[in-house]
Amino acid sequence: MDNKSTTTELLAPAGSLEKLKSAIHYGADAIYLAGQRYGLRAKATNFNDDEMVEAVRLAHAEGVRVFVTVNIMAHNEDLLDLPDYLHFLAESKVDALIISDPGIFRLTRQLLPEMKIHISTQANITNYQSALFWQDMGACRINLARELSGVEIAEVCANIQAKVEVFVHGALCISYSGRCMLSHYLTGRDANKGACAHPCRYNYRLEEEKRPGEYFPVEEDERGVYIFNSKDLCLLERLPELLAMGVDSVKIEGRMKGIYYAAGIVRIYRAALDFIKAVQQENSDIVPQMPSAFMDEILKLGSRGYSQNFFNGQAGPDTMLYSGPKVTQDYVPAALVRSDSSSVEVEIEVRNVIRPGDELEYMGQGLANFPFKVQGVRSDQGTPLEQANPGLRIFLIADRPLDWQCHGLIRKVRVVA
Ligand code: SF4
């Protein structure tokens, strides 16, 4: 079994190689991802076998660990190809597998006794005896259910030797950590196989059998009722407490999220962990308060509303988003930096239309933002462009030199039409 960590790991999602590179750029210590089989989030652009090998190579070159989800609730037929896949993952040198199904766990232990196994949040571990059960079975890390309070998390940390991993940021389920049939019933897409259509976020109304098409609002307000629609989790302000409890890894949800959001969140949590470490190097007894600058940055990335879920005890109505499935977003992604540069000119891949005169912001590592004005854009042949459209790889000329780094992000203020 691994020893307990001395520093807390930042564990980031990656739905593609590009997202993996940006997550590493912005400071992830470890990445979790899925292959095209056996991982939840079937819609995420999961890694094919070649990409998996490349992901491990890239991550290990930067000293970053790679964990692969094999966390579906398996039926018998799902087991047929599983041995081949498990051997492939071992040969790919992934650092651990994330598993929830006891059958997959058992098979993995038989076939790959050396492979490290992390227990997925899908296993719904809500007490230290459950954690000890999986520890006794050979798991080296436990991801706790998202339904635990801070006090309960601390009790688990104090009672097990296996590492403890806690989700600190991302989408929540109205059901127990994703164990839910709502999507399967309503859309035929099984959340337990990674295909959730998020029907918990839908607007529900009542229809009387003899009046088809006539919908009766079940109203909280005039927009209808979003009875299952939970806000997103954000425990950034509780990070110092989680670290003091002995949590070994803080995990960000979001393999299906866009690169701007996912990498942007990694960047902020990296800065937050570094801030706490710096404060505690001065005085290890201090459990610092998080400055508001961290939350301000999180809010710039867009939000469905944030909650601390069960951290303070029972989650209540304030954890729900009754007013609609809305996302508030003050900034939108503008481009991805494609090469290092320390001049006014940098190669970028455009994500939103960019024109000369636009005011943009380069997101440096840490919380540093660098506003600049676009002086011009040109094609790779050198032709000046009036505007650069999404998908184009072009050269941007800024009004001042910046320390551009490949895989960094550029954003702009969202213009509301
Ligand atoms: S429908 Fe909602 S509660 Fe159910 S698995 Fe999907 S996201 Fe979670």
Side-chain angles (χ1 to χ4, degrees):
M1 181 167 314
D2 291 352
N3 293 323
K4 289 287 220 178
S5 312
T6 49
T7 55
T8 307
E9 170 191 274
L10 177 58
L11 176 53
S16 66
L17 274 174
E18 192 160 76
K19 291 178 194 173
L20 173 133
K21 290 174 195 167
S22 277
I24 293 173
H25 170 73
Y26 281 117
D29 298 308
I31 303 282
Y32 68 99
L33 50 86
Q36 292 186 334
R37 297 166 281 170
Y38 300 106
L40 295 182
R41 302 288 169 259
K43 271 199 343 177
T45 47
N46 291 338
F47 292 67
N48 65 31
D49 289 359
D50 290 343
E51 289 167 335
M52 181 79 74
V53 171
E54 179 65 358
V56 175
R57 189 192 67 75
L58 284 169
H60 284 179
E62 299 293 330
V64 172
R65 298 174 286 281
V66 176
F67 310 143
V68 176
T69 59
V70 192
N71 60 345
I72 63 164
M73 296 286 119
H75 288 241
N76 293 331
E77 63 178 16
D78 296 320
L79 301 174
L80 296 176
D81 295 333
L82 190 54
D84 277 356
Y85 186 55
L86 293 174
H87 284 301
F88 163 72
L89 292 175
E91 284 158 18
S92 304
K93 303 264 184 292
V94 305
D95 296 278
L97 303 186
I98 302 171
I99 291 174
S100 55
D101 183 291
I104 295 181
F105 183 95
R106 182 174 184 274
L107 192 59
T108 306
R109 295 290 292 161
Q110 279 177 349
L111 296 177
L112 307 173
E114 303 299 319
M115 176 63 79
K116 289 182 177 169
I117 301 181
H118 299 176
I119 301 302
S120 163
T121 195
Q122 295 288 116
N124 301 152
I125 294 172
T126 54
N127 63 73
Y128 65 81
Q129 286 291 354
S130 291
L132 287 171
F133 168 81
W134 284 111
Q135 178 183 302
D136 291 346
M137 298 298 288
C140 66
R141 183 188 293 212
I142 311 292
N143 183 299
L144 297 180
R146 280 174 249 210
E147 291 76 18
L148 295 197
S149 68
V151 171
E152 291 173 307
I153 293 169
E155 283 169 357
V156 176
C157 288
N159 281 285
I160 73 170
Q161 288 75 51
K163 287 185 178 178
V164 174
E165 182 181 286
V166 172
F167 270 107
V168 291
H169 197 97
L172 289 168
C173 277
I174 188 69
S175 61
Y176 241 98
S177 286
R179 285 207 164 185
C180 170
M181 294 299 285
L182 192 61
S183 178
H184 200 159
Y185 281 124
L186 292 180
T187 71
R189 289 171 46 180
D190 188 350
N192 299 302
K193 295 214 168 157
C196 179
H198 304 289
C200 56
R201 319 270 197 250
Y202 296 176
N203 176 14
Y204 288 93
R205 287 169 189 264
L206 190 69
E207 187 186 27
E208 199 276 325
E209 188 179 26
K210 298 209 170 61
R211 294 175 175 81
E214 203 175 317
Y215 299 111
F216 298 92
V218 189
E219 285 197 351
E220 259 99 27
D221 65 20
E222 70 281 358
R223 279 167 293 204
V225 62
Y226 294 82
I227 40 182
F228 303 131
N229 189 16
S230 44
K231 294 177 184 171
D232 288 347
L233 173 70
C234 178
L235 291 181
L236 183 121
E237 289 171 334
R238 313 308 290 264
L239 271 187
E241 292 159 79
L242 286 166
L243 271 53
M245 290 170 195
V247 166
D248 300 281
S249 175
V250 292
K251 184 170 187 175
I252 294 168
E253 183 275 345
R255 276 191 291 130
M256 293 170 77
K257 294 277 197 330
I259 193 167
Y260 169 65
Y261 181 87
I265 292 291
V266 169
R267 167 183 181 251
I268 297 163
Y269 276 85
R270 172 79 276 148
L273 289 172
D274 291 348
F275 166 80
I276 297 166
K277 192 173 171 188
V279 171
Q280 291 181 333
Q281 267 168 358
E282 298 283 311
N283 182 344
S284 58
D285 294 333
I286 289 183
V287 178
Q289 292 265 322
M290 297 306 292
S292 59
F294 290 94
M295 245 357 252
D296 293 346
E297 271 301 311
I298 282 193
L299 293 174
K300 286 183 189 174
L301 295 174
S303 148
R304 302 177 57 260
Y306 284 119
S307 111
Q308 296 186 352
N309 201 28
F310 286 79
F311 196 87
N312 297 314
Q314 190 61 38
D318 60 333
T319 63
M320 303 301 287
L321 187 61
Y322 292 128
S323 57
K326 71 172 184 239
V327 174
T328 55
Q329 193 167 358
D330 294 335
Y331 288 76
V332 292
L336 203 54
V337 174
R338 284 305 192 188
S339 60
D340 294 340
S341 164
S342 51
S343 75
V344 292
E345 187 168 272
V346 62
E347 188 177 12
I348 62 166
E349 188 177 305
V350 181
R351 292 300 162 105
N352 262 299
V353 172
I354 295 176
R355 297 183 184 89
D358 281 355
E359 311 257 359
L360 305 183
E361 190 168 86
Y362 173 58
M363 296 160 65
Q365 288 163 320
L367 288 193
N369 295 316
F370 302 93
F372 66 93
K373 192 167 185 172
V374 180
Q375 297 290 68
V377 284
R378 67 167 180 85
S379 73
D380 54 0
Q381 314 293 325
T383 312
L385 303 171
E386 284 180 18
Q387 73 172 45
N389 291 324
L392 281 183
R393 200 157 165 154
I394 54 135
F395 288 86
L396 177 150
I397 300 122
D399 62 345
R400 63 190 180 111
L402 289 175
D403 183 17
W404 313 99
Q405 292 183 329
C406 191
H407 311 304
L409 294 163
I410 298 171
R411 67 182 166 197
K412 65 177 170 181
V413 173
R414 176 169 163 257
V415 178
V416 183

